[in-house]
Amino acid sequence: MNKIGIYISGLGQSFHQENVLKYAERFKNELLFNERGTSYDLKSEIITYSGKNTSKVVRVVKQGQESDEVIYTFYEFEYHQLLTERFNKRNILLKNLLLFWLVFKMLPQLLKRVFVHDHYNRPYLTFYAFSILVLVSLAVLFLIPASIDMVNDFQVAKKALAFIESSTGNLPNYIKEAYKWTVPLTTFVLLVIPESKTIVTSIATEFACADQYLNDGIQSQLISGNLDLLVEYISENEPESKIHFHCYSFGCLIATDYLFPLGTMPSKNAKLLTDVLVTIGNPYEFINSYYNSYFKNRNLIMEQKIKWINIYSISDALSSNFRNDSTRGEALNGIRDSLLKPINLNYEISPDKSQHFFNFITMDGIRMHRLYWDTETNGQSCLRILFDKMVELEIIKHG
């Protein structure tokens, strides 16, 4: 039986150069660490499916004296361009205007979660992070009018402030000065951090597209349809195969929508071939709290057909332990009304931290979301506990 893994990454992975090749390299390392006298290698290729879509395929190969044996095969499902292709056509000002509007639109829900947590225990950190997004978007939005105004010795700003003062009373000096400092401060950031424009644009693009995907289903049909085409390709070209979905962060939502769809059912190939779902840093509880209708009325036919392994960290504000609290242990629930509960695996790289002021303002809980593996493939990663559990459950054979 061929073991096929479909790797679905999170958003923003281009900044860390994460891809299926690095994931397969870590998987190969775990094979090496658990055997003696055996060599493994990776063989990669780019395949084309459905005429125009491509996928990088990485095969983990056990080297033998006479012939090599394929132990595991990874296919990469690339959805980022599908998710963002409409939004990328807009300029940076429109992107940041939309970013500001989206955060403003979510303000009632953000404030509600500060007082009513609804099983999500990091609402203050989320509110703070969204406030940072507002400041980022406003800095860019104010840049062009402030630049034009600066050439005119801030005459427009002076008239605007004078009008506001006549209507509401005296304004604090810091508000008057903040507008004048918009251009020099933004220019300084662009000089000191040259990639900041790319980062800001990426944040605006990915957050806006993710919100449209979650709220309105924009591009969701296209993404699920392309995933269907990849599964179809595997069914035709990998005989007697079983598919394991390996997903990180937003990729967990892509796989969840595919296996537990709304208003339809999984394809015949998905039902026949899918064996395992692996979620790493799954943002289920965050999404369920701030988009609380998102997981309602799902088709649950797959809950009796698959095993689900969930890797989480209590230090990670975006991961889910499916326990409605921030403690370690077995999962108490699954996806909304589903009876399927994940097999929880806790992964930590640092001692438990109290939420003191410095950790809060540096968004330590959000930064921990990307620390399930090192940027270098020779570092340890959460794939060690995943590999051991897959062997224990006889999902893969080893030794």
Side-chain angles (χ1 to χ4, degrees):
M1 187 70 69
N2 294 325
K3 304 297 183 181
I4 309 296
I6 296 180
Y7 172 76
I8 311 178
S9 70
L11 290 172
Q13 294 305 288
S14 57
F15 289 115
H16 310 294
Q17 287 79 49
E18 284 298 329
N19 52 52
V20 68
L21 187 59
K22 296 178 78 171
Y23 191 86
E25 182 80 27
R26 296 183 182 104
F27 189 88
K28 184 202 76 172
N29 288 344
E30 296 307 321
L31 286 166
L32 290 171
F33 299 153
N34 283 275
E35 280 192 22
R36 297 174 60 186
T38 306
S39 297
Y40 292 89
D41 196 11
L42 299 178
K43 295 183 178 180
S44 63
E45 61 176 324
I46 302 292
I47 61 99
T48 301
Y49 63 99
S50 76
K52 61 178 182 179
N53 296 324
T54 61
S55 173
K56 178 173 283 188
V57 182
V58 184
R59 304 187 190 277
V60 183
V61 177
K62 184 177 183 179
Q63 296 178 319
Q65 292 182 348
E66 297 182 357
S67 62
D68 295 340
E69 177 187 1
V70 176
I71 301 298
Y72 205 95
T73 302
F74 288 98
Y75 281 75
E76 184 169 37
F77 178 64
E78 174 58 63
Y79 67 92
H80 303 79
Q81 185 175 352
L82 297 174
L83 183 67
T84 62
E85 62 181 355
R86 291 184 183 179
F87 194 79
N88 276 331
K89 297 175 182 178
R90 298 167 178 164
N91 63 49
I92 188 171
L93 284 177
L94 288 176
K95 289 177 181 178
N96 280 273
L97 183 62
L98 183 55
L99 175 62
F100 175 77
W101 164 246
L102 290 175
V103 177
F104 181 78
K105 181 183 68 174
M106 289 190 66
L107 185 60
Q109 187 72 0
L110 291 168
L111 290 172
K112 179 182 176 181
R113 286 291 165 257
V114 169
F115 301 101
V116 183
H117 295 182
D118 192 29
H119 309 308
Y120 182 69
N121 56 9
R122 304 289 179 90
Y124 307 107
L125 182 61
T126 303
F127 187 85
Y128 173 61
F130 274 77
S131 300
I132 297 296
L133 287 178
V134 170
L135 293 176
V136 167
S137 61
L138 286 177
V140 177
L141 291 175
F142 286 160
L143 181 59
I144 288 184
S147 301
I148 297 172
D149 203 18
M150 186 174 65
V151 175
N152 197 32
D153 193 25
F154 296 103
Q155 291 302 314
V156 175
K158 291 174 182 178
K159 292 178 181 178
L161 292 172
F163 174 77
I164 295 172
E165 283 185 333
S166 66
S167 303
T168 61
N170 292 330
L171 288 172
N173 287 331
Y174 68 85
I175 294 179
K176 298 177 183 179
E177 295 298 323
Y179 184 84
K180 294 182 180 180
W181 281 98
T182 300
V183 174
L185 281 177
T186 307
T187 303
F188 176 76
V189 170
L190 291 172
L191 288 173
V192 175
I193 313 174
E195 68 274 18
S196 58
K197 178 183 176 182
T198 302
I199 293 172
V200 170
T201 303
S202 179
I203 290 173
T205 299
E206 291 175 351
F207 174 68
C209 292
D211 179 82
Q212 291 174 342
Y213 178 94
L214 295 167
N215 255 331
D216 306 317
I218 293 178
Q219 302 295 86
S220 61
Q221 295 180 95
L222 180 62
I223 290 172
S224 293
N226 277 271
L227 188 49
D228 257 334
L229 292 171
L230 180 58
V231 171
E232 163 65 17
Y233 178 92
I234 292 171
S235 71
E236 296 291 341
N237 293 274
E238 302 281 357
E240 298 183 3
S241 60
K242 284 295 181 182
I243 292 176
H244 308 157
F245 285 89
H246 294 253
C247 317
Y248 167 67
S249 192
F250 197 84
C252 301
L253 300 180
I254 301 296
T256 299
D257 289 346
Y258 181 70
L259 297 175
F260 304 96
L262 174 67
T264 183
M265 63 175 57
S267 68
K268 182 177 180 180
N269 283 329
K271 289 186 285 188
L272 289 175
L273 301 181
T274 305
D275 202 30
V276 177
L277 170 64
V278 176
T279 55
I280 303 171
N282 188 346
Y284 169 82
E285 289 168 1
F286 174 85
I287 300 300
N288 195 41
S289 181
Y290 290 96
Y291 299 84
N292 52 12
S293 299
Y294 187 71
F295 292 104
K296 288 182 178 179
N297 304 317
R298 295 303 182 111
N299 187 304
L300 303 177
I301 192 172
M302 294 296 291
E303 67 180 359
Q304 303 297 330
K305 299 177 180 292
I306 64 172
K307 297 183 179 73
W308 177 12
I309 300 173
N310 178 60
I311 300 176
Y312 71 96
S313 168
I314 60 173
S315 301
D316 175 12
L318 297 178
S319 72
S320 306
N321 62 358
F322 295 90
R323 292 179 54 83
N324 303 327
D325 57 27
S326 57
T327 62
R328 299 175 178 88
E330 294 182 1
L332 301 178
N333 48 66
I335 298 171
R336 204 76 185 207
D337 302 320
S338 174
L339 298 176
L340 176 65
K341 298 177 184 178
I343 300 168
N344 265 353
L345 300 178
N346 176 243
Y347 182 75
E348 308 288 346
I349 65 167
S350 64
D352 295 353
K353 300 176 182 179
S354 60
Q355 287 301 310
H356 54 71
F357 181 71
F358 180 77
N359 283 346
F360 181 81
I361 63 172
T362 57
M363 295 190 286
D364 183 75
I366 293 178
R367 289 189 294 109
M368 293 299 293
H369 189 59
R370 60 183 177 85
L371 297 181
Y372 290 92
W373 36 65
D374 192 82
T375 53
E376 300 293 331
T377 56
N378 56 2
Q380 289 188 357
S381 72
C382 67
L383 267 71
R384 173 159 299 178
I385 59 175
L386 172 62
F387 179 85
D388 291 343
K389 180 58 68 172
M390 291 178 75
V391 172
E392 177 187 329
L393 297 174
E394 299 183 344
I395 296 171
I396 56 175
K397 294 182 180 180
H398 185 252

